[in-house]
Every structure is written in C-alpha cells, then in structure tokens.
Amino acid sequence: MGSREGHGAGAASPGTGKPRPPAMVSRLARELARRGIETVYCATGEEARDFLCRAIPPGTEVMTGSSATLAAIGFEEVLLSGGYDYYRPRIKALDDDRERIRLRRRSTTAEYFVGGVNAISLTGEILNVDGSGGRVAGYAYGGGKVYLVAGVNKIAPTLSAAFRRLRNQAAAAECRALGRRTPCAADGVCRNYECYPPERQCGKVLIIEKESIPGRITLVLIGENLGY
Ligand code: SF4
C-alpha cells in the first residue's frame, strides 16, 4: 500500500513500517498541497497499481491518458481485465470515425481519469503535452476524479527545466515511438519553429498550477524511474 502523503506531507506515517519518502518527494508534496493537489507516495510500481485498484471502485467509468507508466505498473492490464467500464476498448471497437470521435469526446468527462505526467517542477507545476488534447482535457476539467501517475524521474527542479524535459525528453521519446520525423526525434532537441504537422506531435500543452475542487486531483508518485 502506498503511504499517503497528502496535505502537509513530509514524513511517512508513524508505525506503518513503510520507508520514509525521499526529502525531495516530501518537499514536492508540500508545494502541491498548497496548490490544492494531493500526493500519494508509493515506493514501487506494484504498490501504485494496488493503490489505484483500491481507490477506483470496480464497475465505474474510467478513461486513461495514454501512458507508458500505467502500462509498466500493470494498471492498463487491470483495466482491460473487464472489471471496469473502461472507455478505451469501447472506442477501439467502433468502426465509424464520427462515432469514435464522439465517444472520445465523452470519455474526457469520465468519472475517473487516470494517466501519466510528462514533467513536474519541484515548485509544484504539473506539465503535459498531447497531440490531440483528449488527455489534457480530462486532466484540466473533464475527469471527475483524476489520478496522475508518475515516477520520480519526472521531477525537474524548476518550471523551465520541467518544460525542457517535456519537449526534449518526453515529446522526443514519444515522436520516436510513433515514428514521427521531427527535429526532437532526430537529436533530442526541440526546434519548435521548425516543426509542423503532420509530423509534429506537440499539439496542446497543459500546465496544472492549482486545483480548485477539493480532492479532485491526486498525484501518485512512485519511487522508481518509469515512462519517459
Ligand atoms: S514541438 Fe516538435 S520538435 Fe519540439 S518537442 Fe514537439 S514534436 Fe518535438
């Protein structure tokens, strides 16, 4: 089970027997709490998967933002096992393009929205970039309860460092995975003004700076390097 950090985080719960989260994690949890975002720290991907299984009731409506981290911790597999009303297989099963787009749009307002993160600044901003924008739409407002899942490798010291990570590391890796011929895929350096559709992957960038609805966003931070 993940040791819940939550508001005012800074140490593992006494008597849980869990290892104390790294100081950097406690500092980040405090910054996020000031911005209305809860943090749950899990030492391993397995703990994070088990936490999500307990947090999201079986049978409920779930959508995910595509995420190498969710696949790596085995949560994508859990969702596909059939115990949830999971949008992705329903979308995939549709042949009609317009119907598929309609269901994709509806999925951005799923009761539970779970996904990865491209970068997090130690000052508490959470950054994501999408090609189409479905994921960031769910994160920003659509999803009822949002769980953002990230390894500690996603943490950057400042907002500008987090933005560089988003472009030169996360988007570059995504472009390579998708076979896009973008400047970043070639040498790991974003040249934004030389990058255009249809090859360009970056479409919409979201910086979460605060959450107004109490308890809506939880960052599930994992003490491992996961995703890209
Ligand atoms: S704007 Fe283009 S070059 Fe820059 S990170 Fe995005 S896809 Fe890569």
Side-chain angles (χ1 to χ4, degrees):
M1 176 176 177
S3 47
R4 184 172 284 271
E5 284 290 294
H7 301 271
S13 306
T16 60
K18 299 285 182 189
R20 181 184 288 271
M24 179 178 68
V25 170
S26 298
R27 177 179 160 193
L28 175 60
R30 280 194 297 276
E31 292 301 325
L32 289 168
R34 286 161 47 143
R35 294 170 182 268
I37 296 167
E38 179 193 45
T39 302
V40 169
Y41 177 72
C42 298
T44 66
E46 199 181 344
E47 285 184 18
R49 183 200 59 211
D50 292 349
F51 167 77
L52 291 168
C53 289
R54 284 193 303 277
I56 303 176
T60 48
E61 191 186 45
V62 183
M63 181 54 175
T64 54
S66 70
S67 161
T69 299
L70 284 192
I73 69 172
F75 190 63
E76 184 72 31
E77 212 175 304
V78 170
L79 290 175
L80 289 170
S81 69
Y84 298 87
D85 179 10
Y86 186 27
Y87 270 101
R88 278 191 180 272
R90 288 170 54 197
I91 292 168
K92 201 174 167 188
L94 290 172
D95 288 329
D96 185 88
D97 286 351
R98 287 172 61 178
E99 284 300 314
R100 205 165 43 240
I101 290 168
R102 196 169 292 140
L103 194 58
R104 272 191 192 286
R105 287 175 56 209
R106 202 188 312 154
S107 74
T108 63
T109 60
E111 215 173 318
Y112 286 85
F113 208 102
V114 189
V117 166
N118 292 139
I120 311 162
S121 70
L122 257 185
T123 44
E125 292 101 346
I126 301 174
L127 283 69
N128 279 285
V129 62
D130 270 7
S132 64
R135 181 176 72 138
V136 296
Y139 290 179
Y141 193 72
K145 169 68 193 179
V146 178
Y147 286 105
L148 302 177
V149 185
V152 287
N153 54 313
K154 301 295 175 71
I155 301 172
T158 62
L159 178 58
S160 56
F163 206 83
R164 282 196 299 278
R165 187 189 195 286
L166 172 141
R167 294 284 199 206
N168 298 330
Q169 199 159 330
E174 178 81 350
C175 285
R176 288 187 196 114
L178 295 173
R180 298 287 176 97
R181 293 191 305 275
T182 55
C184 63
D187 58 13
V189 178
C190 172
R191 289 187 292 285
N192 196 1
Y193 301 105
E194 296 174 16
C195 185
Y196 298 97
E199 292 302 315
R200 182 182 172 111
Q201 175 61 9
C202 296
K204 283 101 178 183
V205 175
L206 173 70
I207 302 176
I208 300 173
E209 298 186 302
K210 69 146 192 179
E211 176 53 56
S212 301
I213 301 173
R216 179 175 173 267
I217 298 181
T218 297
L219 175 69
V220 181
L221 198 55
I222 304 169
E224 294 176 346
N225 292 341
L226 291 162
Y228 45 74

